[in-house]
Amino acid sequence: MRNETRGTVELTLAMVLSGTLGVFVVESGASPFEVVFFRCLFGALALGVYSGVRGFFTGHGFTGRRLGLAALGGAFIVFNWVFLFEAYQATSISLATVVYHTQPFFLVLLGALFLRERISAGKLGWLGLAFVGLVLVSGVRPGETASLKGLGFALAAAVLYALATFVTKRITGVRPHLIALVQVLVGLPLLLPFADFGAAAELGAGWGWLVGLGLIHTGLMYVLMYAAYAKLPTAKIAVLAFTYPAVAMGVDWAVYGHHIGLVQALGVPLIVFASLKVTLAAPARGAAPAPRTGGRAAEAASPVATRVG
């Protein structure tokens, strides 16, 4: 199998797995804080074992600064998950996922705010188009506070993910698997005060879904993504990344019967297309939640390593 073909298969599979994330969260029956805590726990075990078997801890490349940046990015990542999972409960997996894909626009704004990067007229136009799409997708009518609450949670998750991207992209010379490991490990002490272990003990079959979130959606999915990024051009990664919301919307309809209305459907392609244009227009150094690797690290993260839950 050709290298690029293999990368396409790996990334497509990773995005399909990501699209099933919401079902695992909802079916676990746990609150968002417990879900994220155990995702971090089981995900750390999966990533730790994989990294150990592959020998990634030897010559890991961490310095005090890099470790601190990874930890800060981890704080943003874990609370991004909490808000996203809250959005699933307040609205629907479909709407939360689409709104969550406004992340690239917040990254552009962060670059303008902290790095004084110029926002071109073209990017402003795509931002405006995405905002129109967001208004259409929200479908919020007067009195529908639940939908508005869910929209707010999804936007908060998008902002936190953009912050995680902004911080983590400044780490070089460290394998992305190890950075992801640090990030989920950071989540354990951060979420410990919020987790209700008494309620978690009563989950029964829900434990299977929690274990799946850690092993499949944090271990296997990340390994597939990082392997694919080294084999694929930026444009192909950006396009394949939208397999995630497409699968999420299909799964939400198939499992829970949730579907978006006609007006909302008009907003989806506006957000998707504008997000794609902004992502592809971003400089190569600037939009990856997992940083480029250096030294002996072969699997470099893509500049559009994007928007996975």
Side-chain angles (χ1 to χ4, degrees):
M1 185 183 291
R2 286 175 54 242
N3 213 33
E4 185 170 330
T5 302
R6 183 174 178 180
T8 300
V9 172
E10 289 169 338
L11 187 55
T12 300
L13 180 56
M15 293 299 100
V16 169
L17 289 176
S18 189
T20 66
L21 178 78
V23 173
F24 279 69
V25 171
V26 173
E27 292 300 313
S28 73
S31 77
F33 283 107
E34 280 90 61
V35 170
V36 178
F37 179 86
F38 288 109
R39 182 184 186 181
C40 288
L41 177 62
F42 296 124
L45 291 172
L47 290 169
V49 169
Y50 178 81
S51 298
V53 170
R54 293 294 303 274
F56 291 168
F57 292 114
T58 303
H60 51 75
F62 275 118
T63 62
R65 179 179 180 276
R66 292 170 183 170
L67 191 59
L69 288 172
L72 178 59
F76 291 135
I77 283 288
V78 296
F79 285 107
N80 137 80
W81 286 341
V82 170
F83 279 110
L84 178 61
F85 299 165
E86 288 278 10
Y88 289 162
Q89 295 184 356
T91 175
S92 69
I93 295 170
S94 298
L95 291 182
T97 302
V98 171
V99 173
Y100 187 53
H101 272 68
T102 57
Q103 298 153 9
F105 307 109
F106 291 113
L107 190 59
V108 168
L109 295 175
L110 286 172
L113 182 63
F114 292 105
L115 301 180
R116 303 189 178 215
E117 293 178 348
R118 179 176 169 272
I119 302 179
S120 66
K123 282 186 179 179
L124 283 174
W126 295 123
L127 284 166
L129 184 65
F131 179 76
V132 172
L134 183 62
V135 171
L136 293 172
V137 162
S138 68
V140 177
R141 298 184 181 90
E144 290 185 350
T145 56
S147 295
L148 190 59
K149 182 179 178 183
L151 177 67
F153 282 140
L155 285 173
V159 171
L160 287 170
Y161 192 92
L163 285 167
T165 300
F166 188 78
V167 169
T168 310
K169 73 180 183 179
R170 280 155 179 73
I171 307 173
T172 57
V174 182
R175 289 185 182 271
H177 309 77
L178 296 182
I179 294 177
L181 176 59
V182 169
Q183 290 175 337
V184 292
L185 285 173
V186 163
L188 297 176
L190 281 179
L191 296 173
L192 189 60
F194 305 101
D196 184 350
F197 295 105
E202 306 295 325
L203 290 177
W207 280 104
W209 298 99
L210 292 178
V211 172
L213 279 169
L215 300 186
I216 298 172
H217 293 91
T218 310
L220 175 60
M221 187 178 75
Y222 279 24
V223 168
L224 287 170
M225 283 193 305
Y226 296 145
Y229 293 153
K231 303 180 181 81
L232 298 175
T234 295
K236 179 168 276 191
I237 294 172
V239 172
L240 288 175
F242 286 98
T243 305
Y244 163 32
V247 171
M249 293 172 72
V251 168
D252 196 24
W253 172 77
V255 178
Y256 301 113
H258 295 158
H259 59 85
I260 62 177
L262 178 60
V263 174
Q264 292 172 312
L266 293 175
V268 172
L270 298 184
I271 292 176
V272 169
F273 186 67
S275 176
L276 183 61
K277 294 294 288 186
V278 168
T279 300
L280 290 176
R285 67 179 180 82
R292 293 181 176 275
T293 56
R296 60 185 291 272
E299 300 103 349
S302 161
V304 286
T306 82
R307 300 175 296 284
V308 235

Short mmCIF file of all heavy atoms in Angstrom, two decimals, residues 173-233:
data_model
loop_
_atom_site.label_atom_id
_atom_site.label_comp_id
_atom_site.label_asym_id
_atom_site.label_seq_id
_atom_site.Cartn_x
_atom_site.Cartn_y
_atom_site.Cartn_z
N GLY A 173 10.37 19.45 19.02
CA GLY A 173 11.34 18.45 19.45
C GLY A 173 10.79 17.39 20.36
O GLY A 173 11.56 16.65 20.99
N VAL A 174 9.46 17.29 20.48
CA VAL A 174 8.83 16.27 21.33
C VAL A 174 7.77 15.55 20.51
O VAL A 174 7.00 16.20 19.79
CB VAL A 174 8.18 16.89 22.59
CG1 VAL A 174 7.59 15.80 23.47
CG2 VAL A 174 9.19 17.72 23.36
N ARG A 175 7.73 14.24 20.61
CA ARG A 175 6.72 13.48 19.89
C ARG A 175 5.31 13.88 20.35
O ARG A 175 5.08 14.06 21.54
CB ARG A 175 6.92 11.98 20.09
CG ARG A 175 8.14 11.43 19.38
CD ARG A 175 8.20 9.91 19.52
NE ARG A 175 9.39 9.37 18.88
CZ ARG A 175 9.45 9.00 17.60
NH1 ARG A 175 8.37 9.11 16.85
NH2 ARG A 175 10.56 8.51 17.08
N PRO A 176 4.37 13.97 19.41
CA PRO A 176 3.01 14.36 19.79
C PRO A 176 2.34 13.37 20.74
O PRO A 176 1.50 13.76 21.55
CB PRO A 176 2.28 14.43 18.45
CG PRO A 176 3.10 13.63 17.50
CD PRO A 176 4.51 13.78 17.95
N HIS A 177 2.73 12.10 20.67
CA HIS A 177 2.16 11.10 21.58
C HIS A 177 2.49 11.44 23.03
O HIS A 177 1.65 11.28 23.93
CB HIS A 177 2.72 9.71 21.26
CG HIS A 177 2.63 9.31 19.83
ND1 HIS A 177 3.49 9.81 18.88
CD2 HIS A 177 1.78 8.49 19.18
CE1 HIS A 177 3.20 9.30 17.70
NE2 HIS A 177 2.15 8.50 17.84
N LEU A 178 3.72 11.90 23.25
CA LEU A 178 4.15 12.24 24.61
C LEU A 178 3.46 13.50 25.10
O LEU A 178 3.13 13.63 26.28
CB LEU A 178 5.67 12.40 24.67
CG LEU A 178 6.48 11.13 24.37
CD1 LEU A 178 7.96 11.42 24.49
CD2 LEU A 178 6.07 10.00 25.31
N ILE A 179 3.26 14.46 24.20
CA ILE A 179 2.54 15.68 24.60
C ILE A 179 1.10 15.34 24.96
O ILE A 179 0.56 15.83 25.96
CB ILE A 179 2.62 16.72 23.47
CG1 ILE A 179 4.05 17.18 23.30
CG2 ILE A 179 1.70 17.91 23.78
CD1 ILE A 179 4.28 18.15 22.19
N ALA A 180 0.47 14.48 24.15
CA ALA A 180 -0.90 14.05 24.47
C ALA A 180 -0.93 13.32 25.80
O ALA A 180 -1.87 13.48 26.59
CB ALA A 180 -1.43 13.15 23.35
N LEU A 181 0.10 12.52 26.09
CA LEU A 181 0.16 11.80 27.36
C LEU A 181 0.23 12.78 28.53
O LEU A 181 -0.47 12.63 29.53
CB LEU A 181 1.37 10.87 27.36
CG LEU A 181 1.65 10.11 28.66
CD1 LEU A 181 0.45 9.25 29.06
CD2 LEU A 181 2.90 9.25 28.52
N VAL A 182 1.09 13.80 28.41
CA VAL A 182 1.18 14.81 29.47
C VAL A 182 -0.17 15.50 29.65
O VAL A 182 -0.62 15.74 30.79
CB VAL A 182 2.28 15.85 29.13
CG1 VAL A 182 2.20 17.05 30.08
CG2 VAL A 182 3.65 15.21 29.20
N GLN A 183 -0.83 15.80 28.55
CA GLN A 183 -2.10 16.52 28.64
C GLN A 183 -3.18 15.73 29.37
O GLN A 183 -3.91 16.29 30.18
CB GLN A 183 -2.55 16.91 27.23
CG GLN A 183 -1.68 17.99 26.61
CD GLN A 183 -2.03 18.29 25.17
OE1 GLN A 183 -2.61 17.46 24.47
NE2 GLN A 183 -1.67 19.47 24.71
N VAL A 184 -3.27 14.44 29.11
CA VAL A 184 -4.30 13.66 29.81
C VAL A 184 -3.90 13.40 31.26
O VAL A 184 -4.76 13.32 32.14
CB VAL A 184 -4.61 12.33 29.07
CG1 VAL A 184 -5.30 12.60 27.75
CG2 VAL A 184 -3.37 11.47 28.87
N LEU A 185 -2.60 13.29 31.52
CA LEU A 185 -2.17 13.13 32.91
C LEU A 185 -2.50 14.37 33.73
O LEU A 185 -2.89 14.28 34.90
CB LEU A 185 -0.67 12.85 32.96
CG LEU A 185 -0.23 11.43 32.54
CD1 LEU A 185 1.29 11.35 32.46
CD2 LEU A 185 -0.78 10.39 33.51
N VAL A 186 -2.34 15.55 33.12
CA VAL A 186 -2.68 16.80 33.79
C VAL A 186 -4.16 16.83 34.16
O VAL A 186 -4.56 17.39 35.19
CB VAL A 186 -2.32 18.00 32.89
CG1 VAL A 186 -3.02 19.28 33.35
CG2 VAL A 186 -0.82 18.21 32.87
N GLY A 187 -4.99 16.21 33.34
CA GLY A 187 -6.42 16.20 33.60
C GLY A 187 -6.82 15.49 34.87
O GLY A 187 -7.87 15.80 35.45
N LEU A 188 -6.02 14.53 35.31
CA LEU A 188 -6.40 13.75 36.50
C LEU A 188 -6.46 14.60 37.77
O LEU A 188 -7.51 14.64 38.43
CB LEU A 188 -5.45 12.56 36.66
CG LEU A 188 -5.48 11.55 35.51
CD1 LEU A 188 -4.44 10.46 35.73
CD2 LEU A 188 -6.87 10.93 35.38
N PRO A 189 -5.40 15.31 38.14
CA PRO A 189 -5.52 16.16 39.34
C PRO A 189 -6.46 17.34 39.15
O PRO A 189 -7.12 17.78 40.11
CB PRO A 189 -4.08 16.63 39.59
CG PRO A 189 -3.39 16.50 38.28
CD PRO A 189 -4.02 15.32 37.61
N LEU A 190 -6.56 17.86 37.92
CA LEU A 190 -7.44 19.00 37.68
C LEU A 190 -8.91 18.64 37.88
O LEU A 190 -9.70 19.44 38.41
CB LEU A 190 -7.25 19.52 36.25
CG LEU A 190 -6.03 20.40 35.97
CD1 LEU A 190 -6.00 20.81 34.51
CD2 LEU A 190 -6.05 21.65 36.86
N LEU A 191 -9.30 17.45 37.44
CA LEU A 191 -10.71 17.05 37.49
C LEU A 191 -11.08 16.29 38.75
O LEU A 191 -12.27 16.08 39.02
CB LEU A 191 -11.04 16.21 36.26
CG LEU A 191 -10.91 16.94 34.92
CD1 LEU A 191 -11.08 15.97 33.76
CD2 LEU A 191 -11.92 18.07 34.81
N LEU A 192 -10.08 15.87 39.51
CA LEU A 192 -10.36 15.09 40.72
C LEU A 192 -11.35 15.76 41.67
O LEU A 192 -12.27 15.10 42.17
CB LEU A 192 -9.04 14.78 41.44
CG LEU A 192 -9.11 13.78 42.60
CD1 LEU A 192 -9.62 12.43 42.12
CD2 LEU A 192 -7.72 13.63 43.24
N PRO A 193 -11.24 17.08 41.91
CA PRO A 193 -12.20 17.71 42.84
C PRO A 193 -13.64 17.73 42.31
O PRO A 193 -14.57 17.88 43.10
CB PRO A 193 -11.66 19.15 42.97
CG PRO A 193 -10.25 19.09 42.52
CD PRO A 193 -10.20 18.04 41.47
N PHE A 194 -13.83 17.58 41.00
CA PHE A 194 -15.16 17.68 40.42
C PHE A 194 -15.82 16.32 40.18
O PHE A 194 -17.01 16.25 39.89
CB PHE A 194 -15.09 18.42 39.07
CG PHE A 194 -14.45 19.78 39.15
CD1 PHE A 194 -13.13 19.97 38.75
CD2 PHE A 194 -15.16 20.87 39.63
CE1 PHE A 194 -12.54 21.22 38.82
CE2 PHE A 194 -14.58 22.12 39.71
CZ PHE A 194 -13.27 22.30 39.31
N ALA A 195 -15.03 15.26 40.25
CA ALA A 195 -15.55 13.93 39.93
C ALA A 195 -16.32 13.35 41.10
O ALA A 195 -15.88 13.42 42.25
CB ALA A 195 -14.41 13.00 39.54
N ASP A 196 -17.48 12.78 40.83
CA ASP A 196 -18.32 12.14 41.83
C ASP A 196 -18.14 10.62 41.70
O ASP A 196 -18.80 9.96 40.90
CB ASP A 196 -19.79 12.52 41.61
CG ASP A 196 -20.71 11.96 42.70
OD1 ASP A 196 -20.24 11.13 43.51
OD2 ASP A 196 -21.89 12.34 42.72
N PHE A 197 -17.23 10.07 42.49
CA PHE A 197 -16.92 8.65 42.36
C PHE A 197 -18.04 7.77 42.90
O PHE A 197 -18.18 6.62 42.51
CB PHE A 197 -15.60 8.33 43.04
CG PHE A 197 -14.42 9.00 42.39
CD1 PHE A 197 -13.81 10.09 42.99
CD2 PHE A 197 -13.94 8.55 41.17
CE1 PHE A 197 -12.74 10.72 42.39
CE2 PHE A 197 -12.87 9.18 40.56
CZ PHE A 197 -12.27 10.26 41.16
N GLY A 198 -18.85 8.34 43.80
CA GLY A 198 -20.01 7.59 44.27
C GLY A 198 -20.98 7.32 43.15
O GLY A 198 -21.49 6.20 42.98
N ALA A 199 -21.25 8.35 42.33
CA ALA A 199 -22.14 8.19 41.19
C ALA A 199 -21.50 7.29 40.13
O ALA A 199 -22.17 6.47 39.50
CB ALA A 199 -22.48 9.55 40.59
N ALA A 200 -20.19 7.43 39.96
CA ALA A 200 -19.50 6.61 38.96
C ALA A 200 -19.57 5.13 39.31
O ALA A 200 -19.64 4.27 38.42
CB ALA A 200 -18.05 7.06 38.83
N ALA A 201 -19.57 4.82 40.60
CA ALA A 201 -19.61 3.41 41.02
C ALA A 201 -20.91 2.73 40.63
O ALA A 201 -20.99 1.50 40.56
CB ALA A 201 -19.40 3.33 42.53
N GLU A 202 -21.95 3.53 40.37
CA GLU A 202 -23.27 2.98 40.03
C GLU A 202 -23.50 2.88 38.53
O GLU A 202 -24.61 2.59 38.09
CB GLU A 202 -24.37 3.88 40.64
CG GLU A 202 -24.25 4.12 42.14
CD GLU A 202 -24.44 2.84 42.92
OE1 GLU A 202 -25.26 1.99 42.49
OE2 GLU A 202 -23.75 2.67 43.96
N LEU A 203 -22.49 3.11 37.73
CA LEU A 203 -22.68 3.17 36.28
C LEU A 203 -22.96 1.82 35.64
O LEU A 203 -23.60 1.74 34.59
CB LEU A 203 -21.45 3.80 35.62
CG LEU A 203 -21.24 5.29 35.86
CD1 LEU A 203 -19.95 5.76 35.22
CD2 LEU A 203 -22.42 6.10 35.32
N GLY A 204 -22.48 0.75 36.22
CA GLY A 204 -22.72 -0.58 35.64
C GLY A 204 -22.10 -0.71 34.26
O GLY A 204 -20.89 -0.55 34.07
N ALA A 205 -22.95 -0.94 33.25
CA ALA A 205 -22.46 -1.12 31.87
C ALA A 205 -21.81 0.15 31.33
O ALA A 205 -21.07 0.09 30.34
CB ALA A 205 -23.60 -1.54 30.96
N GLY A 206 -22.09 1.27 31.96
CA GLY A 206 -21.49 2.53 31.51
C GLY A 206 -19.97 2.51 31.56
O GLY A 206 -19.31 3.25 30.83
N TRP A 207 -19.41 1.64 32.40
CA TRP A 207 -17.96 1.56 32.49
C TRP A 207 -17.34 1.11 31.17
O TRP A 207 -16.24 1.52 30.82
CB TRP A 207 -17.56 0.60 33.62
CG TRP A 207 -17.63 1.24 34.96
CD1 TRP A 207 -18.59 1.06 35.91
CD2 TRP A 207 -16.71 2.18 35.50
NE1 TRP A 207 -18.33 1.84 37.01
CE2 TRP A 207 -17.18 2.53 36.79
CE3 TRP A 207 -15.54 2.77 35.03
CZ2 TRP A 207 -16.52 3.44 37.60
CZ3 TRP A 207 -14.88 3.68 35.85
CH2 TRP A 207 -15.36 4.01 37.12
N GLY A 208 -18.04 0.27 30.45
CA GLY A 208 -17.53 -0.18 29.15
C GLY A 208 -17.36 0.98 28.19
O GLY A 208 -16.38 1.06 27.44
N TRP A 209 -18.33 1.90 28.21
CA TRP A 209 -18.25 3.07 27.34
C TRP A 209 -17.11 3.99 27.78
O TRP A 209 -16.43 4.58 26.93
CB TRP A 209 -19.57 3.83 27.37
CG TRP A 209 -20.73 3.03 26.85
CD1 TRP A 209 -21.66 2.35 27.58
CD2 TRP A 209 -21.07 2.80 25.47
NE1 TRP A 209 -22.56 1.73 26.75
CE2 TRP A 209 -22.23 1.98 25.46
CE3 TRP A 209 -20.51 3.22 24.27
CZ2 TRP A 209 -22.83 1.58 24.27
CZ3 TRP A 209 -21.11 2.82 23.08
CH2 TRP A 209 -22.25 2.01 23.09
N LEU A 210 -16.89 4.13 29.08
CA LEU A 210 -15.80 4.97 29.57
C LEU A 210 -14.43 4.39 29.19
O LEU A 210 -13.52 5.13 28.79
CB LEU A 210 -15.89 5.14 31.09
CG LEU A 210 -17.07 5.95 31.62
CD1 LEU A 210 -17.05 5.97 33.15
CD2 LEU A 210 -17.05 7.37 31.07
N VAL A 211 -14.30 3.09 29.35
CA VAL A 211 -13.05 2.44 28.95
C VAL A 211 -12.82 2.63 27.45
O VAL A 211 -11.71 2.91 27.00
CB VAL A 211 -13.06 0.94 29.31
CG1 VAL A 211 -11.84 0.24 28.72
CG2 VAL A 211 -13.09 0.75 30.82
N GLY A 212 -13.90 2.52 26.67
CA GLY A 212 -13.79 2.73 25.22
C GLY A 212 -13.33 4.13 24.88
O GLY A 212 -12.52 4.33 23.96
N LEU A 213 -13.82 5.13 25.62
CA LEU A 213 -13.39 6.52 25.37
C LEU A 213 -11.88 6.68 25.57
O LEU A 213 -11.23 7.42 24.83
CB LEU A 213 -14.12 7.47 26.31
CG LEU A 213 -15.53 7.88 25.91
CD1 LEU A 213 -16.22 8.59 27.06
CD2 LEU A 213 -15.49 8.78 24.68
N GLY A 214 -11.35 5.99 26.58
CA GLY A 214 -9.93 6.10 26.85
C GLY A 214 -9.08 5.30 25.87
O GLY A 214 -8.11 5.82 25.30
N LEU A 215 -9.44 4.04 25.66
CA LEU A 215 -8.62 3.16 24.83
C LEU A 215 -8.80 3.43 23.34
O LEU A 215 -7.83 3.40 22.58
CB LEU A 215 -8.96 1.69 25.13
CG LEU A 215 -8.74 1.22 26.57
CD1 LEU A 215 -8.98 -0.27 26.68
CD2 LEU A 215 -7.34 1.58 27.07
N ILE A 216 -10.06 3.68 22.92
CA ILE A 216 -10.34 3.84 21.49
C ILE A 216 -10.21 5.29 21.06
O ILE A 216 -9.47 5.62 20.13
CB ILE A 216 -11.75 3.32 21.15
CG1 ILE A 216 -11.85 1.82 21.46
CG2 ILE A 216 -12.08 3.59 19.68
CD1 ILE A 216 -13.26 1.26 21.33
N HIS A 217 -10.92 6.20 21.77
CA HIS A 217 -10.99 7.59 21.31
C HIS A 217 -9.82 8.45 21.78
O HIS A 217 -9.71 9.61 21.36
CB HIS A 217 -12.31 8.22 21.77
CG HIS A 217 -13.51 7.61 21.10
ND1 HIS A 217 -14.19 6.54 21.64
CD2 HIS A 217 -14.12 7.90 19.94
CE1 HIS A 217 -15.18 6.21 20.84
NE2 HIS A 217 -15.17 7.02 19.80
N THR A 218 -9.00 7.93 22.68
CA THR A 218 -7.82 8.69 23.10
C THR A 218 -6.54 7.95 22.76
O THR A 218 -5.57 8.56 22.32
CB THR A 218 -7.87 8.98 24.61
OG1 THR A 218 -9.15 9.53 24.94
CG2 THR A 218 -6.79 9.97 25.03
N GLY A 219 -6.52 6.63 22.91
CA GLY A 219 -5.34 5.85 22.57
C GLY A 219 -5.25 5.56 21.09
O GLY A 219 -4.44 6.14 20.36
N LEU A 220 -6.12 4.68 20.61
CA LEU A 220 -6.08 4.25 19.21
C LEU A 220 -6.26 5.41 18.24
O LEU A 220 -5.54 5.53 17.24
CB LEU A 220 -7.16 3.19 18.97
CG LEU A 220 -7.33 2.70 17.53
CD1 LEU A 220 -6.04 2.08 17.02
CD2 LEU A 220 -8.50 1.72 17.43
N MET A 221 -7.23 6.27 18.51
CA MET A 221 -7.53 7.36 17.57
C MET A 221 -6.34 8.31 17.42
O MET A 221 -5.99 8.71 16.30
CB MET A 221 -8.75 8.13 18.04
CG MET A 221 -9.25 9.17 17.05
SD MET A 221 -10.74 9.99 17.68
CE MET A 221 -10.02 11.07 18.92
N TYR A 222 -5.68 8.67 18.51
CA TYR A 222 -4.54 9.57 18.43
C TYR A 222 -3.36 8.92 17.71
O TYR A 222 -2.66 9.57 16.94
CB TYR A 222 -4.12 10.03 19.83
CG TYR A 222 -4.96 11.15 20.38
CD1 TYR A 222 -6.26 11.37 19.93
CD2 TYR A 222 -4.46 12.00 21.37
CE1 TYR A 222 -7.03 12.40 20.44
CE2 TYR A 222 -5.23 13.03 21.89
CZ TYR A 222 -6.51 13.23 21.41
OH TYR A 222 -7.27 14.24 21.92
N VAL A 223 -3.14 7.63 17.97
CA VAL A 223 -2.05 6.92 17.28
C VAL A 223 -2.29 6.92 15.77
O VAL A 223 -1.38 7.16 14.98
CB VAL A 223 -1.92 5.48 17.82
CG1 VAL A 223 -1.01 4.64 16.92
CG2 VAL A 223 -1.38 5.50 19.25
N LEU A 224 -3.53 6.66 15.36
CA LEU A 224 -3.86 6.67 13.93
C LEU A 224 -3.65 8.06 13.33
O LEU A 224 -3.10 8.20 12.23
CB LEU A 224 -5.31 6.22 13.73
CG LEU A 224 -5.61 4.74 13.92
CD1 LEU A 224 -7.12 4.50 13.92
CD2 LEU A 224 -4.94 3.90 12.83
N MET A 225 -4.10 9.08 14.03
CA MET A 225 -3.96 10.44 13.51
C MET A 225 -2.50 10.84 13.34
O MET A 225 -2.10 11.34 12.28
CB MET A 225 -4.64 11.44 14.45
CG MET A 225 -6.15 11.48 14.34
SD MET A 225 -6.84 12.92 15.17
CE MET A 225 -6.19 12.76 16.83
N TYR A 226 -1.70 10.61 14.37
CA TYR A 226 -0.31 11.04 14.29
C TYR A 226 0.46 10.26 13.23
O TYR A 226 1.37 10.80 12.60
CB TYR A 226 0.36 10.90 15.66
CG TYR A 226 -0.22 11.79 16.72
CD1 TYR A 226 -0.31 11.38 18.04
CD2 TYR A 226 -0.69 13.07 16.41
CE1 TYR A 226 -0.85 12.20 19.03
CE2 TYR A 226 -1.23 13.89 17.38
CZ TYR A 226 -1.30 13.46 18.69
OH TYR A 226 -1.83 14.26 19.65
N ALA A 227 0.10 9.00 13.03
CA ALA A 227 0.74 8.21 11.96
C ALA A 227 0.35 8.78 10.60
O ALA A 227 1.17 8.86 9.68
CB ALA A 227 0.33 6.74 12.08
N ALA A 228 -0.92 9.18 10.46
CA ALA A 228 -1.41 9.68 9.17
C ALA A 228 -0.83 11.05 8.82
O ALA A 228 -0.51 11.32 7.65
CB ALA A 228 -2.93 9.75 9.18
N TYR A 229 -0.67 11.92 9.82
CA TYR A 229 -0.21 13.28 9.54
C TYR A 229 1.15 13.30 8.84
O TYR A 229 1.44 14.20 8.04
CB TYR A 229 -0.10 14.08 10.84
CG TYR A 229 -1.42 14.36 11.52
CD1 TYR A 229 -1.47 14.55 12.89
CD2 TYR A 229 -2.60 14.42 10.79
CE1 TYR A 229 -2.67 14.81 13.52
CE2 TYR A 229 -3.80 14.67 11.42
CZ TYR A 229 -3.83 14.86 12.79
OH TYR A 229 -5.01 15.10 13.41
N ALA A 230 2.00 12.32 9.16
CA ALA A 230 3.34 12.30 8.56
C ALA A 230 3.32 11.87 7.10
O ALA A 230 4.29 12.06 6.38
CB ALA A 230 4.24 11.36 9.36
N LYS A 231 2.19 11.30 6.67
CA LYS A 231 2.12 10.73 5.31
C LYS A 231 1.31 11.58 4.34
O LYS A 231 1.33 11.32 3.14
CB LYS A 231 1.49 9.33 5.37
CG LYS A 231 2.19 8.33 6.28
CD LYS A 231 1.47 6.99 6.25
CE LYS A 231 2.12 5.97 7.17
NZ LYS A 231 1.71 6.14 8.57
N LEU A 232 0.57 12.57 4.85
CA LEU A 232 -0.40 13.26 4.01
C LEU A 232 -0.09 14.75 3.85
O LEU A 232 0.41 15.39 4.78
CB LEU A 232 -1.81 13.12 4.61
CG LEU A 232 -2.36 11.70 4.72
CD1 LEU A 232 -3.69 11.72 5.45
CD2 LEU A 232 -2.53 11.09 3.33
N PRO A 233 -0.43 15.33 2.69
CA PRO A 233 -0.30 16.77 2.52
C PRO A 233 -1.38 17.51 3.31
O PRO A 233 -2.43 16.95 3.62
CB PRO A 233 -0.50 16.98 1.02
CG PRO A 233 -1.31 15.80 0.58
CD PRO A 233 -0.89 14.66 1.46
#
